[in-house]
């Protein structure tokens, strides 16, 4: 164990590459612990006593990272800059105070508690997927630069490497094109080149790739309304679809995409290409004329597939990979779903498909046909208008499982032999304001990140919560806000897994604070559910049993009142107020008979109590509004 960070220094090898990572880690340690580190450039491989050393190890794969902490110091290495940045976050997540506070959020510790420490650990790590990301909708709700930086910080904390920004849609064109300045000028809100460049630099240091999306040819009113003579169909210039059959329009789109790449350089060129209104296109004379060049039977849908193929070739020439939202279907067509017809036009498998609705092209077939898939399935990874999915549902999911829109929910599983075709995961937030985007992501990203980083790990939801309460506390401090971000859904369960012991729940004086009591046959599950239903105000519950049959249940909490006396499982509860007021320190007193079984949220070695809930400024609805709460959905 590195016994204390007091007096520690940071040693940076490969300084030309890693100095930004070293500065970042030093600044984040300061934010997390209020302690500062001095940075030093050093050659060689040794780690001086009580120092944190970071270096690139050419013997590791590009995505591999390593953290070794011993009594002499901490050594962080990675196969690339991004891998080293991942290792620095592993170190930050391992920081704790004292000798027995590993699972306790640091803000719960008083100033007199022991110094910050690192446990003696060895972590050899790498992600399962090369793409782990978040998409935010900057075209329907204004997401200022400060908000985008917050989302980058969340990506960093949860080891996600992509922030995908939906820059354009029917309502706005937020990218400041210099070739077509009228587009952003006509938009109700927009970014500047300087803002996007600042975001790019901020994200790059943190190992996060910004992917800027221009959604075409559908969702194109941001282009056709501002410049109908340039981007619209002459026969219907303000249609919400750009004139993708005109070579001049295609060239103009490629110009804008090059501009996006210049300020937000990425391996990926994202054009959306979903939800095109083919019924409105088929009657247009421009579509009919272009379709005849393919065949007498060709339609707007065939031309759309041709457009995607053309854009893919353009991306490849630029050294990029084209990415689209799921929108085209199987070449042989399909029946009974999105009802795409057969097509003689192929879409190359070099195109990466972000599956979201799973309705146009069922994911197992998409994989079998050779396409790479990013799993952004509506269930459980979509957040729309502030409504998402229960974090427990997300944690029960796996990256090869894709669920449709709740209104026509079917689950699709990509078979084991095709799993290599799923190359990433992405949580998408649509039509949600900046603060609610932060709140809803803070409640759900930890679950997606944990399940996608190591999907084969056999872990329980309770185990996840015990770790999430630490990492989300860290996220709150790095975001510069007080208290914890929500680690899980409320009200069940609202805190890390309970630790059970034989005994009776009492405060440190042997008394109790406030208590709700049920003297009736009650199962241990009913007793637990009642306490969890009280959310963070319930510190412990005590289940009395005789011969394995429950005969009594008590719930202890800091601020319980008679108003909490609700009927559970038909049992009547009574309220009592303890002589010592709210619990100061909950312990489990020995009960030699062993007839009682006491469950604690966690041992309270530090002063204060956990703040399980939303970020300051967030409401419970912003954090946890979910489709699972709606009666018309069956999960």
């Amino acid at each position: 164990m590195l016994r204390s960070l007091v007096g520690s220094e940071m040693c940076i090898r490969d300084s030309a590459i890693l100095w930004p990572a070293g500065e970042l880690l030093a600044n984040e340690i300061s934010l997390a612990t209020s302690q500062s580190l001095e940075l030093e450039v050093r050659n060689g491989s040794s780690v001086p006593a009580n120092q944190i050393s970071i270096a690139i190890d050419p013997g590791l794969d590009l995505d591999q990272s390593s953290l070794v902490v011993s009594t002499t110091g901490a050594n962080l290495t990675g196969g690339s800059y991004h891998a080293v940045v991942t290792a620095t976050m592993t170190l930050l997540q391992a920081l704790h105070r004292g000798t027995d506070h590993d699972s306790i959020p640091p803000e719960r510790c008083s100033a007199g508690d022991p110094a910050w420490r690192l446990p003696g650990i060895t972590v050899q790590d790498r992600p399962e997927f090369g793409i782990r990301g978040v998409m935010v909708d900057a075209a329907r709700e204004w997401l200022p630069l400060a908000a985008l930086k917050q989302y980058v910080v969340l990506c960093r904390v949860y080891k996600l490497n992509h922030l995908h920004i939906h820059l354009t849609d029917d309502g706005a064109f937020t990218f400041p094109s210099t070739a077509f300045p009228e587009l952003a000028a006509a938009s109700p809100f927009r970014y500047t080149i300087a803002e996007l460049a600042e975001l790019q630099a901020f994200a790059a240091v943190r190992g996060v790739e910004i992917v800027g999306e221009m959604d075409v040819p559908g969702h194109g009113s941001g282009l056709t309304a501002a410049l109908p003579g340039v981007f619209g169909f002459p026969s219907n210039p303000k249609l919400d679809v750009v004139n993708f059959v005109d070579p001049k329009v295609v060239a103009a789109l490629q110009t804008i995409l090059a501009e996006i790449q210049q300020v937000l350089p990425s391996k990926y060129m994202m054009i959306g290409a979903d939800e095109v209104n083919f019924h409105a296109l088929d009657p247009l004379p421009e579509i009919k004329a272009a379709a005849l060049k393919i065949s007498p039977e060709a339609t707007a849908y065939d031309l759309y597939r041709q457009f995607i193929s053309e854009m893919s070739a353009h991306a490849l020439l630029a050294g990029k990979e084209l990415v689209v939202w799921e929108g085209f279907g199987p070449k042989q067509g399909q029946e009974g779903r999105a009802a795409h017809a057969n097509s003689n036009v192929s879409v190359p498998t070099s195109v990466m498909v972000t599956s979201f609705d799973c309705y146009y092209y069922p994911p197992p077939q998409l994989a079998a046909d050779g396409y790479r898939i990013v799993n952004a399935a509506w269930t459980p990874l979509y957040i729309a208008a502030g409504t998402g999915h229960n974090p427990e549902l997300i944690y029960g999911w796996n990256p090869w499982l894709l669920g449709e829109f709740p209104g026509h929910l079917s689950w699709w599983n990509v078979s084991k032999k095709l799993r290599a075709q799923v190359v990433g995961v992405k949580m998408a937030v649509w039509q949600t304001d900046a603060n609610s985007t932060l709140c809803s992501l803070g409640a759900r990203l930890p679950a997606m990140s944990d399940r996608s980083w190591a999907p084969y790990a056999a872990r329980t939801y309770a185990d996840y919560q015990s770790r999430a309460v630490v990492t989300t506390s860290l996220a709150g401090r790095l975001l510069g806000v007080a208290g914890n971000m929500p680690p899980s859904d409320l009200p069940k369960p609202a805190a890390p897994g309970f630790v059970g012991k034989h005994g009776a729940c009492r405060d440190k004086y042997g008394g109790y604070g406030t208590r709700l009591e049920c003297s009736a046959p009650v199962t241990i599950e009913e007793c637990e559910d009642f306490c969890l239903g009280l959310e963070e105000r319930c510190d412990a519950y005590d289940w009395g049993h005789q011969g394995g049959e429950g005969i009594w249940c008590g719930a202890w909490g800091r601020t319980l009142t008679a108003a909490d006396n609700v009927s559970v499982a038909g049992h009547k509860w009574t309220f009592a107020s303890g002589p010592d007021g709210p619990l100061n320190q909950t312990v489990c007193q020995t009960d030699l008979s062993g007839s009682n079984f006491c469950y604690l949220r966690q041992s309270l070695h530090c002063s204060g109590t956990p703040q399980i809930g939303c970020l300051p400024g967030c409401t419970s609805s912003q954090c946890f509004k979910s489709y699972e709460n709606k009666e018309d959905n069956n999960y």
Side-chain angles (χ1 to χ4, degrees):
M1 172 181 285
L2 184 59
R3 296 194 176 279
S4 173
L5 290 183
V6 175
S8 295
E9 295 180 340
M10 186 181 301
C11 170
I12 304 174
R13 289 171 275 157
D14 309 298
S15 60
I17 300 173
L18 292 182
W19 187 264
E23 283 189 314
L24 174 66
L25 178 58
N27 290 336
E28 290 177 332
I29 286 176
S30 179
L31 283 172
T33 69
S34 300
Q35 295 188 19
S36 60
L37 298 181
E38 293 185 9
L39 274 64
E40 173 186 354
V41 177
R42 179 183 294 268
N43 295 319
S45 58
S46 62
V47 181
N50 217 46
Q51 283 204 345
I52 298 172
S53 171
I54 63 174
I56 289 178
D57 183 349
L60 297 176
D61 290 341
L62 293 178
D63 61 350
Q64 281 185 296
S65 64
S66 172
L67 168 64
V68 179
V69 181
S70 67
T71 55
T72 60
N75 194 2
L76 296 85
T77 58
S80 63
Y81 178 90
H82 288 80
V84 170
V85 168
T86 297
T88 64
M89 181 49 61
T90 303
L91 181 144
L92 283 165
Q93 292 173 353
L95 278 172
H96 66 279
R97 298 183 82 168
T99 58
D100 53 3
H101 300 162
D102 291 38
S103 64
I104 299 179
E107 67 271 14
R108 295 186 51 199
C109 300
S110 66
D113 283 314
W116 287 90
R117 300 167 184 265
L118 283 169
I121 54 175
T122 297
V123 179
Q124 306 291 337
D125 209 1
R126 73 186 309 166
E128 180 74 21
F129 296 97
I131 297 175
R132 308 170 308 281
V134 172
M135 190 230 72
V136 293
D137 184 0
R140 291 185 178 90
E141 294 280 353
W142 174 233
L143 305 179
L145 175 63
L148 296 178
K149 286 184 174 181
Q150 287 182 315
Y151 310 148
V152 169
V153 172
L154 284 184
C155 288
R156 159 122 171 97
V157 172
Y158 298 116
K159 300 181 179 178
L160 307 177
N161 62 349
H162 279 203
L163 177 63
H164 167 182
I165 306 175
H166 187 71
L167 291 167
T168 73
D169 211 293
D170 291 327
F173 194 98
T174 67
F175 180 76
S177 169
T178 54
F180 301 97
E182 299 89 345
L183 298 173
S187 177
F189 39 82
R190 67 203 65 83
Y191 298 106
T192 66
I193 292 293
E195 286 177 322
L196 294 178
E198 182 179 341
L199 175 68
Q200 170 63 25
F202 183 86
V205 170
R206 290 159 177 78
V208 178
E209 182 175 344
I210 304 294
V211 180
E213 176 194 350
M214 178 173 66
D215 197 355
V216 290
H219 293 275
S221 292
L223 292 126
T224 60
L227 290 173
V230 176
F231 293 101
F233 288 91
S235 61
N236 191 351
K238 291 194 176 182
L239 186 68
D240 63 351
V241 183
V242 301
N243 186 359
F244 61 96
V245 298
D246 186 334
K248 293 181 180 179
V249 174
V250 173
L253 297 176
Q254 292 171 350
T255 296
I256 298 172
L257 288 169
E259 290 183 310
I260 293 174
Q261 285 286 338
Q262 186 173 8
V263 68
L264 301 174
S266 171
K267 178 182 178 181
Y268 304 100
M269 186 178 289
M270 178 59 167
I271 65 166
D274 63 317
E275 298 175 341
V276 177
N277 186 353
F278 298 114
H279 295 296
L281 290 173
D282 280 327
L284 300 183
E286 299 89 344
I287 293 293
K288 291 180 178 180
L292 281 174
K293 296 178 182 179
I294 299 177
S295 75
E297 297 79 23
T299 66
Y301 175 59
D302 296 298
L303 293 167
Y304 157 78
R305 295 172 67 95
Q306 182 174 274
F307 168 75
I308 294 176
S309 300
E310 184 178 354
M311 295 301 283
S312 178
H314 169 75
L316 291 173
L317 283 174
K320 310 295 180 181
E321 296 181 41
L322 190 74
V323 185
V324 299
W325 292 104
E326 165 205 350
F328 65 90
K331 187 176 180 181
Q332 66 272 28
Q334 59 180 334
E335 296 179 0
R337 303 190 65 76
H340 275 320
N342 293 341
S343 177
N344 292 321
V345 179
S346 297
V347 175
T349 55
S350 58
V351 175
M352 186 181 296
V353 180
T354 307
S355 288
F356 71 102
D357 196 3
C358 311
Y359 198 63
Y360 302 94
Y361 206 143
Q365 187 176 357
L366 193 63
D369 289 345
Y371 293 98
R372 292 165 300 152
I373 300 171
V374 175
N375 184 346
W378 193 297
T379 307
L381 300 181
Y382 249 46
I383 301 168
T387 302
H389 292 276
N390 187 311
E392 190 166 4
L393 176 69
I394 297 171
Y395 202 74
W397 153 92
N398 71 63
W400 303 283
L401 190 63
L402 299 92
E404 294 180 349
F405 174 75
H408 51 76
L409 184 64
S410 292
W411 287 96
W412 299 96
N413 182 58
V414 177
S415 66
K416 191 172 183 179
K417 67 179 181 179
L418 294 172
R419 283 184 173 181
Q421 297 302 114
V422 179
V423 296
V425 296
K426 182 181 296 182
M427 184 169 286
V429 188
W430 297 98
Q431 295 176 285
T432 303
D433 65 72
N435 190 54
S436 294
T437 293
L438 181 68
C439 298
S440 55
L441 284 173
R444 296 174 173 90
L445 270 186
M448 184 196 80
S449 171
D450 200 67
R451 288 295 288 127
S452 57
W453 185 271
Y456 293 104
R459 292 169 175 163
T460 65
Y461 186 60
D463 170 72
Y464 152 74
Q465 288 184 297
S466 68
R467 290 175 289 108
V469 73
V470 177
T471 56
T472 51
S473 170
L474 173 63
R477 281 173 279 132
L478 297 186
L479 286 165
V481 297
N484 288 344
M485 295 177 63
S488 61
D489 201 8
L490 296 177
K492 180 185 179 179
F498 282 65
V499 178
K501 297 181 181 178
H502 284 292
C505 299
R506 298 288 185 270
D507 65 21
K508 64 182 179 181
Y509 303 110
Y512 56 86
T514 55
R515 181 183 71 192
L516 287 164
E517 182 177 320
C518 171
S519 297
V522 59
T523 66
I524 191 170
E525 290 80 12
E526 290 168 343
C527 190
E528 178 183 359
D529 286 348
F530 181 74
C531 181
L532 290 171
L534 296 168
E535 302 179 4
E536 71 272 15
R537 293 178 301 120
C538 182
D539 289 310
Y541 65 89
D542 193 4
W543 181 62
H545 60 95
Q546 188 171 19
E549 183 176 348
I551 58 173
W552 178 86
C553 177
W556 277 262
R558 291 170 287 130
T559 57
L560 301 181
T561 68
D564 296 310
N565 181 12
V566 295
S567 176
V568 175
H571 302 311
K572 183 179 180 182
W573 295 75
T574 57
F575 172 77
S577 179
D580 299 312
L583 293 175
N584 294 301
Q585 184 174 354
T586 303
V587 298
C588 212
Q589 292 194 327
T590 302
D591 182 346
L592 296 179
S593 70
S595 61
N596 292 335
F597 203 63
C598 180
Y599 276 70
L600 308 178
R601 287 185 176 275
Q602 56 193 28
S603 298
L604 305 181
H605 296 291
C606 302
S607 60
T609 51
Q611 299 181 33
I612 305 299
C614 299
L615 279 170
C618 298
T619 66
S620 179
S621 177
Q622 284 177 308
C623 292
F624 300 116
K625 184 179 179 184
S626 72
Y627 294 101
E628 289 73 44
N629 294 335
K630 296 184 177 181
E631 295 179 358
D632 58 346
N633 293 310
N634 182 22
Y635 289 89

